[in-house]
Amino acid sequence: MASGLVSSTVLSVFLVLIATVSAQTAPAPAPSGPLNFTGILDKNGQYTYFLRFLADTQVGSQVQIQLNTTTEGFTVFAPTDNAFNNLKPGLINGLDPQKKVELVLYHVIPKFYTLNDLQFVSNPVRTQATGQDGAAYGLNFTGQNNQVNVSSGVVETQINNALYQKKPLAIYQVDKVLLPEAFFEASSPAAAPSPATKKASGSKSNSTASSTADGPAASDNSGSMGRNVGMGLVLGLALACMGFLS
């Protein structure tokens, strides 16, 4: 009897030890993978053109890297393929490489915003895009009853769908490409002529005026000289005749 009790006790201890060792050596649950910015767009479909621009301009990789370190997060507005198809023909191809980078960055805000946040932000909201003077391009938001519109000053569209909305990243679908107003501002007026140019032009004008003014005076002098010569010939002939008669 005692022997059976001891055996049961030993077996119980042995099973406990096995369970403890197994728990210590079992692998920990694998951590969730890193947030894949472009992967979210690719998974949702209909963002082929935007993904291409993110890759060509390297903005996609920059955002992906900064997602690992940012404390503010990012908000991205993703135009659909139809949004690009509805653009004026040649508009995108007419942009130089720097303008294409600015266009893509214009769809990225360096801060995480929920749709509710966007209803109450102070406009304009700074984007990642900047002009040649270093000034940031902004977007304006208006909203009511959880419906939010975004405007660039050139186009305005509704924010229809939250593709991803968990800090540090929010991605929203838009049905129009957000075009910066700065892309369509009238070019600056032609530069005024330099003082040296004005001076040269003024000298030329004065020279022409002097030539024109001297013309009549020279003609008058020539006429006067001709009249004097004529009077002298008449007077000489008269004196000769008087001498012949005498």
Side-chain angles (χ1 to χ4, degrees):
M1 187 75 177
S3 177
L5 182 60
V6 171
S7 298
S8 298
T9 303
V10 171
L11 180 61
S12 298
V13 171
F14 182 71
L15 291 175
V16 169
L17 289 173
I18 292 176
T20 303
V21 171
S22 298
Q24 290 176 347
T25 59
S32 59
L35 186 59
N36 189 340
F37 164 47
T38 56
I40 295 170
L41 293 172
D42 189 41
K43 181 179 179 181
N44 281 274
Q46 70 175 338
Y47 302 102
T48 306
Y49 293 126
F50 190 51
L51 282 166
R52 183 186 305 168
F53 281 113
L54 285 169
D56 291 347
T57 60
Q58 299 183 8
V59 171
S61 59
Q62 293 173 16
V63 171
Q64 183 64 52
I65 292 171
Q66 293 179 45
L67 278 172
N68 297 323
T69 58
T70 179
T71 57
E72 294 292 328
F74 288 99
T75 301
V76 179
F77 300 98
T80 62
D81 290 341
N82 283 336
F84 281 96
N85 288 330
N86 291 331
L87 288 174
K88 181 180 178 181
L91 177 61
I92 297 296
N93 290 335
L95 298 176
D96 60 44
Q98 180 58 36
K99 280 287 195 298
K100 290 179 180 178
V101 172
E102 292 173 11
L103 177 63
V104 178
L105 288 174
Y106 192 55
H107 291 74
V108 181
I109 294 177
K111 186 173 181 179
F112 172 82
Y113 288 104
T114 65
L115 278 175
N116 187 63
D117 292 336
L118 292 174
Q119 294 187 72
F120 305 103
V121 292
S122 298
N123 290 315
V125 177
R126 182 174 65 88
T127 69
Q128 287 284 78
T130 57
Q132 294 182 350
D133 58 355
Y137 296 160
L139 290 168
N140 295 303
F141 296 89
T142 55
Q144 187 175 7
N145 299 326
N146 294 323
Q147 179 55 60
V148 183
N149 286 4
V150 55
S151 172
S152 70
V154 177
V155 297
E156 181 173 352
T157 188
Q158 181 177 308
I159 300 175
N160 291 321
N161 185 25
L163 304 178
Y164 189 89
Q165 190 177 226
K166 184 178 180 181
K167 197 170 185 179
L169 179 65
I171 305 177
Y172 302 112
Q173 173 185 314
V174 288
D175 292 333
K176 291 183 180 180
V177 178
L178 304 177
L179 301 172
E181 191 172 16
F183 282 15
F184 301 91
E185 290 177 351
S187 57
S188 58
S194 64
T197 304
K198 286 184 176 181
K199 183 176 181 180
S201 177
S203 300
K204 183 177 180 180
S205 299
N206 292 337
S207 176
T208 303
S210 298
S211 299
T212 304
D214 290 345
S219 298
D220 290 345
N221 290 338
S222 298
S224 177
M225 185 179 296
R227 286 193 296 273
N228 291 338
V229 171
M231 289 293 292
L233 289 174
V234 172
L235 183 58
L237 288 173
L239 291 174
C241 289
M242 290 178 62
F244 177 75
L245 292 176
S246 59

